[in-house]
Amino acid sequence: MFKPTPTQEFFISNFALGKRAGVFMASTTSDHFSGRNLSINGNEFLSFASCGYLGLELDERVVEASVDATRRYGTTFTTSRAYLQHGLYEELEDRFEQAFGAPCIIGASTTLSHLSVFPSLVRKEDAIITDRQAHNSLQDAVTAMVGRGVHNEIVPHNDMLDLRGRIEKLSAVYDKVWYVADGIYSIYGDFAPFKELKSLLEDFPKLILYVDDAHGMGWTGKNGCGLALQELGHHERLILVTSLSKAGACGGGLIVLPDEKTKNLVRATGKTLTFSGPLTPGQLGALTAVADILLSNEISDMQNQLFDLCTYFVDQAEISGLTIIDKSISPIFYVSIGDPHLLAEVTAMIQKNHKIFVTPTGFPAVPKDQCGIRLTITRLHTKENVDALVRAIAVEHKAALQRRASAVNPD
Ligand SMILES: Cc1ncc(COP(=O)(O)O)c(C=O)c1O
């Protein structure tokens, strides 16, 4: 009854390729988790695929707070937040407001937070410019606004000259011009050009900057406020949404708004804050412990520890000749490998021969000939783990290229 479209066929065949190589749609078979070691189909792996950058998901205080809240309040509290929310929400928003230095709302996820903020704040008289590589959750939220008659244009990735021209043109016609982008892009780990964005905010009074900093939170910035806030600072025309399920170690999204009036507007009219289910007491309890860690002196030591590991990775990768697409120091890196078949072969060999799990990435997330390995480093890794990772990629990439060359020229 449901015939796949050609694009869906492409995805299905890519997944089949990855599944055969044991790198897509796998499930863990561990009965516990140490943050970096896990088992898949009974085989132990060292994983470089977690977005729990600070490793807080295994911090005893966070685990205990989650268990304690579940014991006291049960596994869920399911009244609509329009009528009654769990009291832990208020405590949490207070803590995040202290950490982020601005009015905050906790959403059920980053995606659902976008789906509250856009319809609450964007008007038909506004225009939205989207970065071509903005995360899918942003693209979907913008598409929903286009469905309501809002004008949208796509700008090439991080192209500030093109963006400036469009803002100038659209400012003459529309009430507000929104620029929608990620703070740190989740595939290559490259950053938004914050310095240029700051000058655009100064130059164009109609510009509103909407940043999804899902991967930027926790590992950097004062109190873990994240990359975008650290680089941009607060601004009356900056709206930020970040994730609490990556470095935040629990679940949910965090909406950071410029003032109380805007917070009240989004809280009262944000559709997913009324019509979607709330976080569970277990998640809220865990987040309270995470927020306490962000507000403590401990956070900068944690951040420095991770920063050192990420810097070490870049140094070692360069020595080994790996092609890292963006060397900005963050916990996300992308090593370019080649076409999808080479990528599937290299990742499968990394798993088989080195017992290391990394995530292969292909078209349409990246250009067809730039398939590669996306990897993430967390505070729970060691330098020895990083050495093993770099060695595994370098050895298996070289071996696969040699096999291919000898298949073409058998002599
Ligand atoms: C940049 C970015 N934004 C949003 C999301 C979606 O986050 P959530 O699962 O909280 O909706 C992701 C997911 O990984 C992401 O990478």
Side-chain angles (χ1 to χ4, degrees):
M1 185 163 70
F2 300 107
K3 194 171 172 303
T5 63
T7 311
Q8 288 173 324
E9 289 284 12
F10 174 81
F11 273 97
I12 293 167
S13 71
N14 244 7
F15 269 118
L17 184 68
K19 230 178 157 182
R20 272 201 303 283
V23 292
F24 281 168
M25 292 183 168
S27 303
T28 63
T29 48
S30 319
D31 61 3
H32 68 281
F33 187 44
S34 79
R36 57 189 157 135
N37 298 105
L38 46 80
S39 67
I40 302 171
N41 296 331
N43 297 310
E44 288 293 320
F45 290 100
L46 172 62
S47 169
F48 285 90
S50 167
C51 299
Y53 304 120
L54 294 173
L56 294 178
E57 63 274 26
L58 291 167
D59 187 292
E60 267 309 305
R61 295 162 292 182
V62 177
V63 173
E64 274 311 311
S66 175
V67 172
D68 180 57
T70 307
R71 288 236 157 80
R72 283 195 289 145
Y73 305 116
T75 53
T76 188
F77 179 84
T78 77
T79 311
S80 163
R81 287 178 72 191
Y83 296 104
L84 181 67
Q85 66 176 9
H86 197 292
L88 284 172
Y89 266 109
E90 275 198 19
E91 280 181 40
L92 250 189
E93 283 176 0
D94 278 355
R95 280 176 168 82
F96 276 107
E97 291 190 352
Q98 279 179 56
F100 280 66
C104 290
I105 302 174
I106 310 261
S109 70
T110 318
T111 307
L112 290 171
S113 298
H114 296 324
L115 292 175
S116 270
V117 181
F118 278 99
S120 291
L121 301 184
V122 178
R123 305 276 175 266
K124 272 219 292 285
E125 297 74 24
D126 298 350
I128 304 176
I129 305 174
T130 318
D131 184 283
R132 184 175 295 291
Q133 286 182 22
H135 188 260
N136 182 69
S137 57
L138 280 175
Q139 310 265 5
D140 282 352
V142 171
T143 303
M145 298 313 297
V146 171
R148 293 165 178 229
V150 175
H151 178 78
N152 175 230
E153 297 184 6
I154 313 276
V155 73
H157 180 51
N158 277 350
D159 187 336
M160 291 296 109
L161 206 61
D162 188 317
L163 178 63
R164 178 173 280 274
R166 285 173 200 260
I167 298 172
E168 198 162 5
K169 211 175 64 204
L170 295 174
S171 286
V173 182
Y174 293 93
D175 273 4
K176 296 190 186 68
V177 182
W178 295 71
Y179 176 57
V180 172
D182 292 13
I184 168 170
Y185 286 82
S186 57
I187 304 292
Y188 291 160
D190 57 322
F191 301 171
F194 295 111
K195 209 167 126 238
E196 289 83 349
L197 289 174
K198 254 178 123 159
S199 359
L200 288 173
L201 271 176
E202 276 164 31
D203 295 348
F204 296 100
K206 288 192 173 181
L207 175 65
I208 313 268
L209 201 53
Y210 186 108
V211 182
D212 175 335
D213 205 25
H215 290 273
M217 182 264 174
W219 59 267
T220 191
K222 186 167 178 256
N223 299 130
C225 70
L227 188 66
L229 261 191
Q230 173 189 267
E231 297 298 322
L232 292 167
H234 291 285
H235 194 284
E236 59 181 359
R237 283 178 280 116
L238 170 66
I239 289 169
L240 184 93
V241 174
T242 189
S243 165
L244 298 174
S245 68
K246 300 181 193 304
C250 301
L254 185 71
I255 306 167
V256 185
L257 295 158
D259 52 64
E260 283 297 328
K261 232 170 133 182
T262 315
K263 172 176 168 172
N264 291 338
L265 173 58
V266 174
R267 181 66 179 87
T269 61
K271 289 188 185 302
T272 58
L273 297 169
T274 292
F275 298 112
S276 299
L279 295 180
T280 64
Q283 287 173 309
L284 295 170
L287 279 170
T288 310
V290 168
D292 284 341
I293 294 171
L294 296 182
L295 287 166
S296 75
N297 292 332
E298 243 178 287
I299 188 67
S300 41
D301 287 344
M302 291 181 173
Q303 291 176 336
N304 290 339
Q305 214 180 324
L306 180 58
F307 189 86
D308 286 350
L309 265 184
C310 297
T311 310
Y312 183 73
F313 169 78
V314 173
D315 292 346
Q316 297 309 304
E318 277 188 334
I319 292 169
S320 299
L322 303 188
T323 309
I324 310 175
I325 295 290
D326 192 286
K327 292 181 189 150
S328 310
I329 301 298
S330 84
I332 305 175
F333 293 103
Y334 186 88
V335 181
S336 187
I337 298 291
D339 65 57
H341 293 276
L342 193 66
L343 175 65
E345 187 180 335
V346 172
T347 3
M349 287 302 155
I350 290 173
Q351 277 201 11
K352 182 164 174 265
N353 298 335
H354 306 264
K355 304 288 174 231
I356 289 179
F357 186 83
V358 284
T359 45
T361 306
F363 182 79
V366 296
K368 282 191 174 119
D369 59 345
Q370 232 181 58
C371 295
I373 293 171
R374 175 187 184 267
L375 57 96
T376 48
I377 296 174
T378 81
R379 197 176 59 89
L380 302 179
H381 288 119
T382 63
K383 285 192 172 167
E384 290 70 35
N385 295 154
V386 171
D387 287 336
L389 169 73
V390 171
R391 198 178 321 118
I393 301 175
V395 166
E396 297 308 339
H397 192 199
K398 193 167 162 207
L401 287 172
Q402 275 169 355
R403 280 193 294 276
R404 188 170 274 197
S406 22
V408 177
N409 305 305
D411 301 324

